[in-house]
């Protein structure tokens, strides 16, 4: 049976997934709200479809009929998960060939564990409203899969980075900060490893909950300093967290402190391409692709203003 993937919300992670496709015979469709983004999707091999979050168009319904795999990368809001709201009770009718569902969630569902390690068995005690909604959406997708006899893989992602989205970019545009909050660590994942985990799980139709995060939860100021050293520039001055000017959302991230285990995804056979931020930054700097697609060799040191 030929494979056809439909990615709802084909943004940064969805494009990384498509770029990692090995077999050109696998069809990948992806939704976006804006036709202005169609060309960017086509550039990475995604056939674009418009989805406004309210109704499925005839073209989208036609691709659902052909889809063997669905990836959900849309964030729920107070109205719920937009795909669930339309498809949950009739998924088998809408997608009769469907054999696997992947749901991209967040490690934010765990809430705060004061820097201790957590795995998929840990209690979810989300702090922010956005993470509360993620827990609800996870449970609903797992229930949909169980009722329809379709395996659902929930991928709990940590802070996503990669070409075009990293500390090199922030140092270049002057937005990098070194905020110091003693004991604070964050978990990270390169977009290529999100793609790799999705391809592994979908290839074997594996369901379950998996933390997709690298091996090295680390203080955020260390990441900035490492990138600055590779670039040959001075890192920004350290700023005590209590004195920092942050948006309420940015400040809320610092209210959650945990180290997230990736043992479960490794146990099913995944091997990380970038097991920590250092290996990823070394590769991006060497390859000159840190600034994103179409930038050529971007390794010239930049002076910070």
């Amino acid at each position: 049976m030929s494979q056809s993937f439909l990615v709802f919300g084909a943004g940064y992670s969805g494009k990384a997934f498509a770029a990692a496709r090995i077999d050109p015979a696998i069809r990948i469709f992806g939704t976006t709200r804006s036709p202005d983004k169609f060309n960017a999707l086509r550039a990475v091999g995604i056939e674009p479809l418009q989805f406004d979050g309210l109704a499925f168009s005839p073209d989208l319904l036609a691709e659902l009929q052909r889809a063997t795999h669905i990836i959900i990368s849309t964030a729920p809001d107070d109205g719920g998960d937009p795909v669930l709201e339309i498809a949950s009770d009739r998924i088998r009718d809408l997608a009769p060939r469907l054999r696997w569902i992947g749901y991209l969630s967040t490690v934010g569902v765990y809430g705060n564990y004061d820097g201790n390690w957590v795995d998929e068995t840990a209690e979810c005690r989300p702090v922010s409203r956005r993470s509360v909604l993620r827990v609800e959406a996870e449970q609903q997708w797992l229930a949909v899969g169980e009722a329809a006899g379709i395996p659902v893989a929930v991928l709990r992602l940590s802070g996503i980075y990669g070409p075009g989205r990293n500390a090199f970019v922030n140092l270049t545009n002057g937005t990098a900060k070194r905020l110091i909050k003693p004991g604070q660590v964050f978990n990270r994942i390169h977009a290529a490893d999100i793609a790799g985990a999705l391809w592994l799980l979908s290839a074997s139709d594996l369901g379950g909950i998996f933390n997709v995060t690298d091996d090295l939860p680390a203080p955020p100021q260390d990441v900035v300093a490492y990138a600055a050293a590779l670039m040959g520039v001075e890192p920004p001055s350290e700023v005590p967290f209590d004195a920092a000017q942050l948006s309420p959302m940015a400040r809320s991230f610092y209210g959650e402190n945990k180290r997230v285990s990736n043992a479960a995804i490794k146990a099913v056979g995944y091997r990380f391409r970038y097991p920590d931020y250092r290996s990823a930054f070394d590769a991006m700097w060497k390859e000159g692709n840190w600034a994103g697609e179409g930038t050529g060799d971007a390794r010239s040191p930049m002076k910070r203003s």
Side-chain angles (χ1 to χ4, degrees):
M1 178 189 296
S2 61
Q3 295 183 51
S4 182
F5 283 79
L6 178 53
V7 182
F8 283 94
Y12 190 74
S13 298
K15 287 188 282 189
F17 171 74
R21 172 177 44 194
I22 296 174
D23 183 354
I26 296 175
R27 303 164 73 242
I28 302 176
F29 290 79
T31 74
T32 178
R33 288 180 179 271
S34 173
D36 293 341
K37 298 179 180 179
F38 278 14
N39 286 338
L41 295 182
R42 291 188 182 104
V44 293
I46 297 176
E47 299 181 52
L49 296 164
Q50 190 172 7
F51 176 48
D52 61 6
L54 301 174
F56 293 162
S57 68
D59 288 344
L60 183 48
L61 286 169
E63 292 313 322
L64 271 169
Q65 287 286 312
R66 288 186 276 267
T68 56
H69 301 74
I70 290 176
I71 296 171
I72 313 297
S73 187
T74 51
D77 57 24
D78 286 329
D81 181 296
V83 184
L84 271 170
E85 291 300 306
I86 302 170
S88 62
D89 59 351
R90 53 192 182 116
I91 192 72
R92 273 295 181 199
D93 293 332
L94 291 172
R97 299 179 66 211
L98 188 62
R99 69 187 209 207
W100 182 85
I101 297 170
Y103 181 72
L104 301 188
S105 185
T106 168
V107 298
V109 298
Y110 295 113
N112 179 43
Y113 272 80
D114 295 324
N116 291 312
W117 283 95
V118 298
D119 62 17
E120 291 83 355
T121 66
E123 177 189 2
C124 288
R125 45 196 197 200
V127 176
S128 67
R129 177 62 179 163
R130 61 184 178 274
S131 293
V132 170
L133 293 170
R134 284 290 190 184
V135 173
E136 293 175 355
E138 284 185 6
Q139 294 170 344
Q140 290 170 331
W141 274 113
L142 289 167
V144 165
E146 183 175 4
I150 301 169
V152 175
V154 173
L155 286 71
R156 291 176 174 165
L157 310 179
S158 53
I160 302 169
Y161 71 98
R165 185 186 291 191
N166 54 67
F168 295 132
V169 173
N170 297 340
L171 284 161
T172 301
N173 63 27
T175 61
K177 297 180 176 64
R178 281 202 296 164
L179 304 184
I180 308 301
K181 186 179 181 185
Q184 179 73 50
V185 296
F186 288 118
N187 305 274
R188 295 167 190 81
I189 188 66
H190 193 286
D193 281 311
I194 298 173
L198 282 168
W199 282 113
L200 174 81
L201 294 169
S202 63
S204 300
D205 298 336
L206 288 175
I209 298 175
F210 301 92
N211 295 328
V212 181
T213 183
D214 71 19
D215 294 339
L216 187 63
Q221 66 270 21
D222 291 3
V223 179
V224 175
Y226 192 82
L230 286 173
M231 297 182 83
V233 301
E234 286 295 319
S237 300
E238 294 184 348
V239 177
F241 174 74
D242 291 341
Q245 299 296 315
L246 296 172
S247 68
M249 178 175 285
R251 189 167 292 275
S252 73
F253 286 120
Y254 280 81
E256 299 180 17
N257 189 14
K258 53 189 167 284
R259 290 171 167 84
V260 181
S261 167
N262 58 18
I265 191 69
K266 287 180 176 177
V268 297
Y270 188 66
R271 296 296 174 261
F272 284 81
R273 181 175 177 183
Y274 302 110
D276 55 59
Y277 71 86
R278 297 188 189 104
S279 60
F281 278 41
D282 289 349
M284 286 190 290
W285 186 249
K286 180 180 179 180
E287 295 165 12
N289 66 352
W290 56 267
E293 296 175 8
T295 56
D297 191 326
R299 287 174 290 183
S300 301
M302 305 293 293
K303 294 183 179 179
R304 297 188 68 255
S305 57

